[in-house]
Each structure stands twice: as C-alpha cells, then as structure tokens.
Amino acid sequence: MAEPSNTAAPLLDPGVYHPRLADLVTVSIDWLQSNWLRIAVACLIGAVIVVALFGVRRLGEKMCERDRLAMGWGRVIGRVVSRTGSLFIVMLAAKLVRGYAGAPTQVATTIDFLWIIASTFQTAIWARELILGTIEHRTGAEGYQGEALLSALGLIRLLVTVALFAIALVVVLDNLGVNVTGLVAGLGVGGIAIGLAAQGIFGDLFAALAIIFDRPFRRGDKVTYDQTSGVIESIGLKSTRIRAFGGEMRVISNRQLLDKEIQNISNRHHTRVALTIGVAYETPPDTLARVSTMLREIVEGEGAQVARASFESFGASSLDFIVQFDVPGDDWPTAHATRDRVLVSTMRRFKEEGISIPYPTQTTYTAAPDGTIIMPYPQVQPVHVENDHR
C-alpha cells in the first residue's frame, strides 16, 4: 500500500495529526532536558525583545494621542505601530531566538507555521492602517469634512479590510500547502460580479479618492468647467457641489467632473486682460508711432503689468492697436475695475493728444430702375450770391 504523500491532506487528517502532536511533545521534552541552559538564555533574550516591542507599541499609542488633533504624519505612523498584535510580537521573538536555542525540526516547523500566520495577518493590519491613515491625513489637511466624507471613509475601510485580509488568507493557505487556485478564481469572479453591479458607485468613489490625493481643487476653490464657473462647496462620496457665480447650486458626479477640463481659477497667478483700441485713419503717422507707448504708460499707471502693446491691423474703419496686461491675483472683480480705469484713462489721454476713436461707418449705394447710381446724399445746388449795387 502506497504511503500518503506529504501534502495538505495529511495535515488536516485527524488520523495523522495526533501522532504528530505526540511526537512534537516527546521531542520538545527531550530538547528541554538536554538544552535547558540555552533555552533559558534564549527565553531571556526573547523576553527582552518582547518588552522592547511592547515599548515601541506604547510609543506609537502616545504618538496617536499627541497628534490627535493635528492629523499629521506622526499620528499616521503611530497608528500603524500601535496596531501591532501581541501574537506577532511573541512569534517574532521566538523566530529570532530559535536558532540560538537549537530547536529541533518539529519545534522549528511549529514556530514557522505560527510565524507565517502572525506575520501575514499583521502585515495586512499594518497596510490597512497605513492606507486609511494616509487618506484621513490628506482629507484632514485639505479641509474635507462632513457626513459624506465619514460615509466614504467607512466604505473605504470595509473595502480595504476585506481585500487585504482576503489576500492574507490566500497567502497563508498557500504557504501551508493548500491548493488555492480554485479559491483565487472564485474570489476573482465574485469581485468582477460585484464590480460590474456597482461600477457607478465605485467609479464615483475612486474619483473622490483621486480628487483627495491628486488635489485638482479643494473646498472653497473657484473653478470653471464646460460653461459653468463657481465655488466648490463640498466634495462628497458620489458628487461634488459647486455654487455657480449666478447663485444656483450645480451638482455633478465626481467621475464626470474629472472627465472634463477643469480650470482652477483660485490657483491663477494673475488675470490677463486684452483690449483692442482703434484710432482714426486720419491720425498723423508721428502720433501713431507714439500710441503704443501711450497705452503702456496708461496701463502701468494703473498698477498693472503690460504683456503687449502694439499696432495690430488695418481695421474696417480704424487702425487697431491691441494692449494686453496682467493684474496680480485671481480676483476678476479687481481685474475688471482695473480694466475700467485703463479705458477711462485711455479716453482722457487720447483727448489730450487729439486722437479720435472712430465709430464704424458704412455708405450704401443704390441704383435707379434705369441703372443709374443714386447718390446716398442729396444733390447740393450751388448758391449764387448777387451783389446789391443799389
């Protein structure tokens, strides 16, 4: 009869498990009797390691308490350290001192078995706390608040916990020799089904996370997208609310919002204003040569920075000059007020220089039935003045 292979099936077979346990106890007793001094020293070293790790965990708890309101990186790191489990600490110490203690194969295998379980799930816990702590740090630093954010964080915590612990379970089973191919396939199919059923919700949720981490805008910023301009009032789990400059509230899903080109006006360094000013064709060339300098002096006199002031083109009824200037800051009302002052100052300066700004004119010629041109103005008869010699 063939001997059973050393696979996962014998590990879970009660008929094989009990003899192994008895063998482990016997080997452990012999090991304790023959290596008691080395074991005692190893236990002492392990105790020091355990105490030191517990001290590190306590330090992490104090970091959480100290930075509770600050929501800084110190609190995130302290939160990760404080979630270190006691089983992990004990198994880490045992893993470190087992070689010195000369543990037999059965004892070393048991330590390795427990170490795989403790370290894998502890890594999942650390990863979860680091991810959630990073998200809370970014949201707190950017001023995201409200019930929607709490709901989002609760859902994120659930999703991250399920995903990480599912991966940890698969890793543990794989290290124990269990065939996890079917389990991984089942988890993959289930994940795809859930993703397809809730793709809209997950899409908006991940878009909200993208907004939090990528920071294209934050609450209070002035933005423009499509034909809408307004102020960000809140960033929720599914949608973002924008108070338009016209007063109405605009609500748009996070996913659709990120698909658009967004102009963050609050991050604008300056506001550029462009003006086209026409002067009459009758203006003398020497005066035309000084118009660009006049416009530059006018703009600088109002506290703006000139980007361009030059002759542009020959217009239909005027010689067109263009002036572009920058007003510091992102406040359009301030830039508009500066624009008004520049226009008034230009009118005043042109009046002093004798430069006229013509309005568009057009002359229409018509024809009589016989084809002769009818002049657009009446025929003026000459006036003859007779001298009175009386």
Side-chain angles (χ1 to χ4, degrees):
M1 184 175 180
E3 295 182 357
S5 59
N6 187 19
T7 60
L11 181 63
L12 301 178
D13 186 2
V16 181
Y17 183 75
H18 292 295
R20 287 188 176 182
L21 180 60
D23 183 55
L24 174 63
V25 173
T26 302
V27 171
S28 299
I29 293 174
D30 294 340
W31 173 52
L32 290 172
Q33 291 176 348
S34 59
N35 297 275
W36 63 269
L37 181 59
R38 295 177 62 182
I39 294 174
V41 174
C43 289
L44 180 61
I45 297 174
V48 173
I49 296 174
V50 169
V51 172
L53 293 178
F54 273 109
V56 174
R57 186 173 72 176
R58 179 55 186 165
L59 179 62
E61 294 174 354
K62 290 183 178 180
M63 293 175 64
C64 290
E65 296 174 357
R66 184 176 63 248
D67 296 338
R68 184 178 300 275
L69 299 178
M71 291 297 294
W73 285 111
R75 185 173 186 271
V76 175
I77 297 175
R79 177 175 172 172
V80 173
V81 174
S82 65
R83 296 299 190 276
T84 304
S86 300
L87 177 61
F88 172 79
I89 293 176
V90 173
M91 294 313 304
L92 177 60
K95 182 76 172 177
L96 294 175
V97 302
R98 70 161 192 176
Y100 177 81
T105 304
Q106 293 87 339
V107 176
T109 303
T110 303
I111 294 175
D112 290 340
F113 169 75
L114 296 176
W115 165 250
I116 290 174
I117 297 176
S119 61
T120 303
F121 283 100
Q122 183 61 62
T123 302
I125 294 174
W126 281 340
R128 180 190 64 181
E129 297 304 324
L130 180 61
I131 293 172
L132 297 177
T134 302
I135 294 175
E136 292 180 6
H137 166 72
R138 298 298 292 267
T139 54
E142 300 301 328
Y144 297 102
Q145 299 175 352
E147 296 181 358
L149 177 60
L150 296 178
S151 301
L153 291 177
L155 181 58
I156 294 170
R157 174 179 287 275
L158 176 61
L159 295 176
V160 170
T161 301
V162 171
L164 290 177
F165 276 86
I167 296 174
L169 178 61
V170 172
V171 172
V172 169
L173 293 177
D174 183 62
N175 279 274
L176 295 180
V178 178
N179 187 0
V180 297
T181 304
L183 178 60
V184 172
L187 291 175
V189 173
I192 293 174
I194 296 174
L196 291 176
Q199 58 181 342
I201 297 176
F202 287 141
D204 290 328
L205 174 62
F206 292 136
L209 293 178
I211 292 173
I212 292 174
F213 283 96
D214 192 47
R215 294 181 294 176
F217 52 80
R218 65 188 70 179
R219 189 164 58 93
D221 282 358
K222 291 174 284 187
V223 299
T224 298
Y225 70 94
D226 284 347
Q227 302 299 320
T228 299
S229 298
V231 180
I232 301 293
E233 285 204 349
S234 64
I235 302 171
L237 174 63
K238 182 174 176 56
S239 62
T240 296
R241 286 165 172 78
I242 302 175
R243 178 70 65 181
F245 291 146
E248 67 275 11
M249 174 70 74
R250 299 292 182 91
V251 181
I252 182 171
S253 68
N254 295 326
R255 182 176 53 178
Q256 292 179 354
L257 183 60
L258 289 186
D259 288 339
K260 302 179 181 297
E261 180 185 2
I262 303 172
Q263 299 181 20
N264 193 327
I265 306 174
S266 297
N267 293 334
R268 186 166 55 188
H269 177 264
H270 59 269
T271 302
R272 173 157 295 187
V273 180
L275 298 175
T276 300
I277 302 174
V279 301
Y281 272 94
E282 295 78 14
T283 306
D286 293 339
T287 305
L288 287 174
R290 295 188 292 110
V291 170
S292 296
T293 304
M294 295 180 195
L295 295 175
R296 186 177 296 272
E297 293 174 352
I298 292 170
V299 171
E300 293 176 350
E302 298 298 337
Q305 183 177 1
V306 179
R308 175 189 174 193
S310 60
F311 178 67
E312 180 70 9
S313 63
F314 294 91
S317 58
S318 63
L319 299 173
D320 296 332
F321 287 79
I322 188 169
V323 56
Q324 296 177 349
F325 57 90
D326 301 331
V327 180
D330 63 346
D331 187 19
W332 172 246
T334 301
H336 196 279
T338 304
R339 170 182 174 273
D340 292 344
R341 294 196 302 270
V342 169
L343 289 173
V344 174
S345 299
T346 301
M347 295 291 293
R348 184 179 296 112
R349 179 68 177 272
F350 279 13
K351 184 178 180 180
E352 295 174 355
E353 298 287 343
I355 302 173
S356 63
I357 301 177
Y359 53 85
T361 59
Q362 186 176 17
T363 302
T364 303
Y365 295 88
T366 57
D370 59 358
T372 58
I373 297 297
I374 300 176
M375 301 303 291
Y377 43 85
Q379 186 70 28
V380 180
Q381 300 296 329
V383 178
H384 300 283
V385 181
E386 297 181 357
N387 294 328
D388 190 358
H389 298 287
R390 292 181 296 176

